[in-house]
């Protein structure tokens, strides 16, 4: 059982963005404020620890927030990022900083994910404990940051390190797919929750045993049941389902205390099935909602 997170109201599109780097005229910085994920903001350079790429956001009002993220970015595993949240719209009154309180280091794009018993001597992930290099690009590269509830007036993202092209070769620019900053609904995930993977390859079989395969792009699915919902969670889940319908995005993190679970199974989703509340007491229900990954 994990402490899951659902978020559906994104404040990032309302922000005024600035940066210390130039961005492509065909893929401006504002591209990261809207979907689809294929339309990304593309920077003119990579960042270094001495000269990182910085994106600053000022919001029209102070928002109550518990989650921030970036979806479909192209940073490599060892690249670093930082998120700073401020109370004012002038980047004063620091509320939260992702830097380690003990070492002052910025976070790796993919933190240590694997149990030490899964590590093998000589593997590419031996010392960092992250995903093996050959598995890294099986999943979309997303950044997820959770933090205690605070009222945010401005924020600053900082990026530096290597990036990759879709074919896996080195890139000379950052691609930022979609930003998110919002409050979220957090609750214990039920033991009978389900995570799935749906391949979209089209397989044609011919007489004599021949097979033709047209490759597709697979996507992930998740079913999130809640066996016991108090009145507050029950109403909040139902409100969320009504707000998103079947076309608006929602962020799902299966376990905010487990980076591996969030990297593999969390991300940007859409509701794909009916949301059901089943009453079994005057103030309690069992709720179920199904989601599928947004792939474009």
């Amino acid at each position: 059982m994990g402490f899951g997170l659902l978020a559906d109201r994104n404040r990032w599109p309302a922000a005024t963005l600035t940066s210390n780097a130039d961005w492509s005229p065909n893929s401006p910085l504002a591209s990261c404020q809207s979907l689809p994920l294929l339309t990304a903001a593309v920077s003119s350079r990579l960042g270094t620890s001495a000269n990182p790429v910085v994106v600053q956001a000022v919001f029209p009002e102070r928002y109550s927030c518990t989650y921030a993220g970036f979806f479909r970015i192209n940073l490599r595993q060892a690249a670093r990022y930082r998120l700073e949240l401020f109370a004012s719209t002038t980047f004063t009154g620091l509320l939260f900083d992702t830097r380690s309180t003990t070492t002052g280091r910025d976070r790796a794009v993919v933190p240590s994910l694997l149990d030490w018993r899964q590590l093998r001597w000589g593997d590419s992930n031996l010392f960092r404990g992250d995903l093996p290099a050959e598995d890294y690009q099986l999943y979309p590269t997303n950044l997820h940051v959770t933090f205690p509830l605070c009222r945010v007036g401005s924020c600053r993202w900082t990026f530096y390190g290597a990036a990759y092209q879709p074919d896996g070769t080195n890139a000379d620019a950052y691609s930022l797919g979609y930003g998110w900053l919002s409050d979220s609904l957090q609750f214990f995930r039920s033991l009978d929750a389900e995570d799935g993977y749906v391949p979209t390859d089209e397989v044609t079989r011919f007489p004599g045993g021949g097979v033709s395969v047209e490759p597709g792009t697979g996507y992930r699915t998740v079913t999130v049941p809640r066996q016991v919902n108090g009145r507050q969670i029950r109403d909040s889940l139902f409100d969320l389902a009504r707000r998103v319908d079947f076309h608006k995005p929602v962020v799902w993190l299966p376990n905010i205390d487990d980076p591996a679970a969030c990297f593999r199974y969390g991300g940007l989703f859409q509701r794909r099935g009916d949301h059901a509340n089943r009453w079994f007491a005057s103030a309690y229900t069992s709720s179920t909602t199904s989601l599928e990954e947004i792939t474009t």
Side-chain angles (χ1 to χ4, degrees), residues 203-213:
V203 180
T204 303
R205 301 186 182 277
F206 302 100
V211 177
S212 172
V213 179

Side-chain angles (χ1 to χ4, degrees), residues 233-252:
I233 295 295
R234 178 196 73 198
D235 293 347
S236 296
L237 282 170
F238 202 84
D239 292 344
L240 185 149
R242 290 294 300 271
R243 286 195 300 265
V244 301
D245 290 326
F246 288 98
H247 60 280
K248 294 180 181 177
V250 60
V251 176
W252 164 244

Side-chain angles (χ1 to χ4, degrees), residues 16 22 30 43-44 48 77 86 104 123 155 160 163 190 196 204 221-222 224-225 231 249 264 267:
T16 300
D22 293 328
S43 66
S44 61
T48 65
Q77 292 194 77
F86 301 91
D123 285 352
C155 75
Y160 59 92
S190 298
T204 303
T221 63
V222 59
V224 188
R231 184 183 300 274
R264 286 188 174 92

Side-chain angles (χ1 to χ4, degrees), residues 36-38 72 217-220 268-270 292-296:
L37 291 167
L38 294 176
R72 298 299 175 99
T217 301
Y219 61 89
R220 294 171 295 182
L268 200 61
F269 291 81
Q270 289 173 296
E292 70 177 26
E293 184 183 24
I294 295 177
T295 57
T296 57

